[in-house]
Amino acid sequence: MAILELILQVILGITSLLLTLLILLHKGRGGGLSDMFGGGMTSALGSSGLAERNLNRFTIVLALVWFTTIVGLGLITKFQVI
């Protein structure tokens, strides 16, 4: 069980970093922190519709993996025999 817990912890760390990076890559919708750092300016360098949809899909899949990993670690911790 210790090996599974270690694998899940590594997956959690990697997915947490990737999820943070992917969320920061999303185009700002106006208002909030994105305007504070210059994200409110319109730019011709924004991602296309297909790239934005693929980024959304990848972010959702990675968020589901992250959530499943957290639930798995919680179940291992709850039912772990001391």
Side-chain angles (χ1 to χ4, degrees):
M1 216 37 142
I3 294 174
L4 179 64
E5 187 175 0
L6 179 66
I7 291 171
L8 287 177
Q9 287 176 353
V10 169
I11 291 172
L12 181 65
I14 291 170
T15 56
S16 295
L17 291 174
L18 286 176
L19 198 57
T20 303
L21 176 70
L22 287 177
I23 289 172
L24 289 175
L25 282 176
H26 277 84
K27 187 170 29 175
R29 302 283 185 227
L33 289 177
S34 64
D35 283 346
M36 183 186 299
F37 298 111
M41 295 184 289
T42 58
S43 172
L45 298 175
S47 54
S48 67
L50 180 63
E52 187 73 24
R53 280 194 304 261
N54 287 337
L55 183 62
N56 287 339
R57 289 178 186 145
F58 193 62
T59 304
I60 290 170
V61 168
L62 195 63
L64 290 174
V65 170
W66 180 80
F67 180 75
T68 306
T69 305
I70 288 178
V71 170
L73 280 170
L75 289 173
I76 288 174
T77 303
K78 181 176 181 177
F79 295 114
Q80 195 172 32
V81 177
I82 297 176

